[in-house]
C-alpha cells in the first residue's frame, strides 16, 4: 500500500517511496529471519535480518523529513523551536528509559548489545521526529500524520516489548509479531 501510494499519487512521491523502501527492507529482513532461524534456532546478532530491520529507520527518517518539508511552507522560528524542544524532550526521556534499561539488562558480546540498543534508540529518534512534525503543523496534525503517528507508536511498542522480553531472558511473546504488521497497516 505504501509503494502503491508512491506510484499513484504524485504529491510527496519521494517521501512515500522512501517509506515504502523502508517497509520493503524490513520485510526482507523478517523473511530472512524466518528462513535462517526457524522456530527455536539460536539467533546470532547482528544478522542479515537485523540489517533489513535497521535499514527501515534511515528510509523512514528521510520519508518523514520529506513529508515535513513539503508541509512546512513558511519558516517560523517559534514553530521550529517548538519542534526542537518537543523532539529533544521525547528523545531524552525515551533514551534515558529505554536505552538505559536495554543496556543494563542485555548481556553478550558488544555486537549483541549494540544491536539490541539500536532498535529502541532508532524508535525514539523516529518518535522525536514525529513530535517535531506535529509542532511544525501548529499542533494540528492532519489525518495522514495521525495515521503515521499511530503506526510509529505501535512499532515502538512492539520493538520495546521485544527488547524487554529479550533483555529479561523471556522467550519471544507471540503477540508481539502482529503489532509490527499492524504498525505498517496504520
Amino acid at each position: 500500500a505504501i509503494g502503491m501510494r508512491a506510484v499513484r499519487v504524485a504529491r510527496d512521491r519521494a517521501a512515500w517511496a522512501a517509506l515504502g523502501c523502508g517497509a520493503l527492507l524490513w520485510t526482507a529482513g523478517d523473511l530472512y529471519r524466518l528462513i535462517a532461524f526457524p522456530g527455536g534456532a539460536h539467533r546470532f546478532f547482528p544478522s542479515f535480518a537485523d540489517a533489513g530491520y535497521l535499514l527501515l529507520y534511515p528510509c523512514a527518517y528521510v520519508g518523514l523529513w520529506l513529508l515535513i518539508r513539503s508541509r512546512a511552507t513558511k519558516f517560523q522560528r517559534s514553530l521550529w523551536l517548538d519542534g526542537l524542544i518537543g523532539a529533544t524532550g521525547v528523545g531524552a526521556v525515551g533514551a534515558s528509559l529505554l536505552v538505559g534499561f536495554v543496556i543494563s539488562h542485555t548481556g553478550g558480546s558488544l555486537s549483541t548489545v549494540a544491536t539490541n540498543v539500536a532498535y529502541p534508540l532508532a524508535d525514539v529518534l523516529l518518535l522525536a521526529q514525529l513530535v517535531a512534525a506535529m509542532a511544525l503543523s501548529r499542533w494540528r496534525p492532519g489525518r495522514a500524520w495521525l495515521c503515521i503517528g499511530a503506526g510509529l507508536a505501535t512499532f515502538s511498542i512492539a520493538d520495546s516489548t521485544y527488547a524487554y522480553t529479550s533483555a529479561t531472558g523471556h522467550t519471544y511473546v507471540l503477540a508481539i509479531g502482529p503489532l509490527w504488521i499492524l504498525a505498517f497497516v496504520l
Side-chain angles (χ1 to χ4, degrees), residues 36-43:
F37 309 107
H42 176 70
R43 183 171 168 214

Side-chain angles (χ1 to χ4, degrees), residues 44-135:
F44 58 91
F45 295 94
S47 70
F48 287 117
D50 294 303
Y53 293 148
L54 290 172
L55 284 172
L56 161 77
Y57 295 102
C59 294
Y61 299 143
V62 168
L64 288 180
W65 276 112
L66 287 172
L67 287 173
I68 291 169
R69 189 180 77 180
S70 75
R71 282 154 179 76
T73 55
K74 289 186 353 184
F75 180 80
Q76 290 184 318
R77 290 182 186 153
S78 62
L79 290 179
W80 282 96
L81 185 58
D82 276 355
L84 182 62
I85 291 169
T88 304
V90 168
V93 170
S96 66
L97 295 176
L98 288 174
V99 176
F101 177 83
V102 173
I103 288 174
S104 66
H105 287 86
T106 300
S109 68
L110 177 62
S111 63
T112 299
V113 174
T115 302
N116 287 332
V117 168
Y119 292 104
L121 185 58
D123 286 329
V124 166
L125 291 173
L126 268 178
L127 290 174
Q129 192 171 343
L130 179 69
V131 169
M134 301 262 183

Side-chain angles (χ1 to χ4, degrees), residues 135-153:
L136 290 172
S137 71
R138 293 177 161 64
W139 301 104
R140 291 184 200 100
R143 185 177 49 193
W145 281 111
L146 290 175
C147 290
I148 290 170
L152 291 178

